[in-house]
Amino acid sequence: MAGFFKGLFSKKDNGAGHVAEQPSTASVRQRSRLAEQAETYYRMGKEFMLKNDLERARLYLERASTLYSNFEQVYDECEAFMYDCDEEIGALEEEELLYNELLDEVTEKAGELSGRQSYVWGILTLARFQVLLEKLSSCSGCGILGEIGQILNLLGEGIGRELQPEEVGCLQDFVLRLYDFGDSESFVNPDNQAPVDGGQPLQVFDLNGNSAFTSIHIFLDNCTYLFESGFDTAEDAEPAELDFIPCTLMEDYYLRTVEGDIRRLPKLQEEIERVRSDFEFVKGDPGAKEIQDRIRTWRAVDLLGA
């Protein structure tokens, strides 16, 4: 599925079969600033390509792509380089990069799981984003990120019982607003950041990497339909979107703030082990209470904390 997201420079699928008629609009002054920002990221990405630092190249090329994908005049102003940018991103999908390698592993392992198990794996992964999203929710225009706890409450409850219509409605409303947030200037603003214990501040835009935010949105959108029908219908539901699972490594943050090879960073290795541990857990077909207990445990994890 990773390749699917890279062709979205002119329109963006919201995961529910709807396509935005056009990218978001902004004032003329703001659009010029965003276009300059997109070109800066593109040039940074190309510079890292020349240095053969492909991980950081993708970081900045993807940021450029998000800017001209989401804002109409930015798209118009970036025609000179956006096609090359998209081609470079597509080529990087075939390289031996950390995300690509872990995504291949996740995709292979997901083939061994039932529909129910796949959705549980995704929910467990999402739970580990809670601490970071709540930190970022204090940033300007980012309050929706602070609602993730309520959403995880509903997902956890829905595993053990049928959700009420108003609860499903809450999920649906959140998914719609989350889509709009992903297209907003608040999402791409590098000044929107939160402190990290023992490290550089975390940017909201660090959630962009490897189409993480788009993939999370699609996963939650599919969850909404699943829980509307009842979690016991998972085998007949749309397959769970799991491309965001490797994104809990928060590569964009480390690539932006740490020099050199990030593969051996202890926090990344710990998270890779959690991903693999979750797979073994769900493959054992745990009951609702076991799953809910594990969700609670993961919701307290700080992916970047000391």
Side-chain angles (χ1 to χ4, degrees):
M1 287 282 301
F4 167 78
F5 299 117
K6 305 308 179 188
L8 299 184
F9 61 86
S10 61
K11 56 186 178 180
K12 182 177 177 184
D13 191 324
N14 71 2
H18 305 295
V19 175
E21 293 182 359
Q22 61 184 17
S24 304
T25 58
S27 72
V28 173
R29 179 186 62 81
Q30 290 170 325
R31 286 185 296 201
S32 292
R33 174 179 57 79
L34 291 174
E36 291 174 1
Q37 188 176 336
E39 184 169 0
T40 296
Y41 286 142
Y42 167 72
R43 294 189 182 280
M44 291 174 68
K46 295 292 281 188
E47 288 174 6
F48 279 115
M49 289 287 289
L50 291 173
K51 297 176 183 178
N52 202 36
D53 188 342
L54 302 186
E55 299 279 9
R56 289 178 177 81
R58 182 154 75 173
L59 160 66
Y60 291 107
L61 291 172
E62 285 188 337
R63 287 193 171 200
S65 177
T66 295
L67 287 168
Y68 61 67
S69 298
N70 290 7
F71 301 95
E72 183 178 12
Q73 187 164 330
V74 178
Y75 175 84
D76 295 337
E77 294 173 352
C78 293
E79 185 175 359
F81 63 83
M82 67 181 183
Y83 295 106
D84 179 65
C85 186
D86 285 339
E87 287 184 1
E88 296 281 25
I89 292 171
L92 287 170
E93 291 182 358
E94 307 303 320
E95 296 290 340
E96 294 181 357
L97 306 184
L98 179 57
Y99 170 81
N100 296 347
E101 292 171 4
L102 189 54
L103 179 61
D104 286 345
E105 180 179 338
V106 167
T107 301
E108 181 179 354
K109 290 181 181 298
E112 302 177 26
L113 302 178
S114 67
R116 177 184 185 275
Q117 292 168 335
S118 294
Y119 272 96
V120 171
W121 197 8
I123 293 169
L124 291 170
T125 302
L126 185 65
R128 293 197 296 280
F129 277 110
Q130 178 170 340
V131 170
L132 294 187
L133 295 182
E134 288 181 340
K135 286 182 179 180
L136 291 169
S137 68
S138 62
C139 296
S140 176
C142 301
I144 187 174
L145 301 180
E147 299 176 29
I148 188 63
Q150 179 184 6
I151 298 306
L152 286 165
N153 286 343
L154 291 174
L155 296 179
E157 285 292 315
I159 289 171
R161 64 168 175 84
E162 185 173 343
L163 294 183
Q164 297 301 307
E166 59 270 20
E167 293 175 315
V168 174
C170 181
L171 286 175
Q172 293 171 333
D173 176 69
F174 178 79
V175 169
L176 289 172
R177 290 184 294 113
L178 189 69
Y179 177 77
D180 291 337
F181 174 74
D183 276 350
S184 72
E185 290 190 61
S186 296
F187 178 71
V188 302
N189 183 358
D191 293 329
N192 266 347
Q193 51 188 354
V196 171
D197 292 341
Q200 297 295 315
L202 168 70
Q203 296 178 357
V204 175
F205 211 7
D206 289 332
L207 300 173
N208 182 65
N210 302 305
S211 304
F213 207 78
T214 301
S215 183
I216 288 172
H217 177 268
I218 295 174
F219 174 73
L220 285 172
D221 189 61
N222 289 343
C223 281
T224 297
Y225 288 104
L226 171 60
F227 284 106
E228 184 175 26
S229 301
F231 193 63
D232 59 352
T233 68
E235 302 313 312
D236 299 319
E238 190 75 17
E241 169 55 58
L242 300 179
D243 282 17
F244 74 95
I245 287 180
C247 296
T248 52
L249 300 184
M250 293 302 297
E251 283 188 78
D252 278 24
Y253 171 78
Y254 289 113
L255 290 168
R256 184 178 59 79
T257 62
V258 177
E259 294 183 359
D261 187 1
I262 65 171
R263 286 175 177 262
R264 298 303 177 188
L265 292 176
K267 297 298 292 185
L268 268 70
Q269 292 301 315
E270 290 171 11
E271 180 54 23
I272 289 172
E273 288 307 311
R274 292 188 193 104
V275 169
R276 292 169 175 165
S277 173
D278 276 350
F279 168 74
E280 296 298 334
F281 174 75
V282 300
K283 193 176 179 182
D285 248 348
K289 185 179 185 308
E290 291 177 272
I291 297 169
Q292 291 163 346
D293 288 345
R294 194 172 178 95
I295 291 172
R296 279 190 288 272
T297 297
W298 286 159
R299 289 174 67 172
V301 170
D302 186 344
L303 292 171
L304 302 180

